[in-house]
Amino acid sequence: MAKRGSISGMTHLEKILGGVVWASYILILPLAADPLFDFLQQVFSISISGGTRDALYYYILFGLAVIAFWGYLGREGRSFLNHAGNALAAVGIGLAAFYGLNEILFRLLRMLSVLPPNLNDQAILARIVSAPQSTILILVFLAPVIEEVLFRGYIFGNLLEYNRWAAYLASCVLFALLHVWPYFAEGWDPAYLVAMVQYLVPGAVMAWAFERSGSLWGSILLHGAVNALAVWSVA
């Protein structure tokens, strides 16, 4: 199958609603989630565990993403089914590229002695131990849809209309930054920003899978498969 064209495939309304989801993802929910859960605990005299909070947080994000991009996800699904063979081949190649390029990157970072601890991975591992079912649901099903529709569909797809290199750069850097930003903001340690490098390869491979498969569901499947294998490796 030929590479994806130069248009995003989103309607004007979907782009506007996508901006609302982005604001919710970056600004509103991160600030409002904990106060909201604390308020619910006080009002209903209940205890909401960390695993339940995480699940509810991602359910809300997933719901917002589906509402905003329902038509877009449907069109992308039909595109995937119409070219299922080539799309699945792109997912398989992407999976091999993900692990191959990641191995090269980690070996290089170790040689340069600039491999900082990945606090995001450590936090996820702790959640798997404390709340395995909800964490697996988030990692394998909810997060891939949310992150792919925002980073690849919304950012990469819309920028692809103007400049392919800008689309790759912006989507990869934002994807990497948002995985390390909470930890950097806690102590303003520049070492945490170096950890962004570890997410550049995944961001680039997911964008390639989206472009090559001709459907956002290609990158969603790839993202879910990568996360499922990561969970299996530590289970």
Side-chain angles (χ1 to χ4, degrees):
M1 177 180 175
K3 290 182 180 179
R4 190 179 184 86
S6 60
I7 59 174
S8 69
M10 287 189 184
T11 66
H12 184 64
L13 177 60
E14 287 164 349
K15 293 178 182 179
I16 294 174
L17 293 176
V20 174
V21 178
W22 253 108
S24 301
Y25 180 62
I26 297 173
L27 298 174
I28 299 174
L29 284 176
L31 296 176
D34 284 339
L36 175 61
F37 290 136
D38 291 341
F39 173 76
L40 291 175
Q41 287 186 131
Q42 293 178 359
V43 170
F44 295 102
S45 299
I46 57 175
S47 177
I48 304 177
S49 67
T52 302
R53 289 189 179 209
D54 287 341
L56 290 173
Y57 181 86
Y58 276 92
Y59 274 130
I60 293 170
L61 276 174
F62 182 81
L64 290 174
V66 169
I67 291 170
F69 298 109
W70 177 259
Y72 173 69
L73 288 169
R75 294 192 300 275
E76 293 294 299
R78 288 190 291 273
S79 177
F80 184 90
L81 292 175
N82 288 337
H83 306 91
N86 288 328
L88 289 173
V91 173
I93 294 170
L95 194 61
F98 173 86
Y99 285 104
L101 293 174
N102 255 348
E103 182 63 24
I104 293 172
L105 175 63
F106 283 121
R107 286 179 180 272
L108 179 60
L109 292 176
R110 289 192 192 99
M111 287 175 56
L112 298 175
S113 299
V114 290
L115 185 62
N118 190 320
L119 297 183
N120 185 64
D121 282 358
Q122 293 176 14
I124 291 173
L125 181 59
R127 292 192 191 108
I128 291 175
V129 172
S130 62
Q133 293 181 338
S134 61
T135 303
I136 291 172
L137 173 68
I138 291 168
L139 291 176
V140 180
F141 298 103
L142 302 182
V145 174
I146 296 166
E147 294 186 353
E148 291 310 307
V149 78
L150 290 177
F151 289 103
R152 258 59 71 178
Y154 190 71
I155 298 298
F156 180 81
N158 284 306
L159 285 178
L160 193 63
E161 182 177 352
Y162 303 100
N163 186 285
R164 187 166 179 260
W165 291 108
Y168 271 95
L169 179 64
S171 63
C172 290
V173 169
L174 286 172
F175 182 70
L177 180 61
L178 287 178
H179 278 81
V180 302
W181 175 254
Y183 309 103
F184 171 70
E186 285 182 0
W188 301 102
D189 186 347
Y192 293 142
L193 290 182
V194 178
M196 284 179 57
V197 176
Q198 301 172 61
Y199 291 96
L200 294 178
V201 165
V205 172
M206 302 297 177
W208 178 88
F210 170 38
E211 184 181 21
R212 187 68 185 181
S213 69
S215 170
L216 183 70
W217 287 98
S219 62
I220 291 173
L221 283 179
L222 175 58
H223 197 148
V226 166
N227 285 359
L229 289 171
V231 169
W232 177 76
S233 69
V234 300

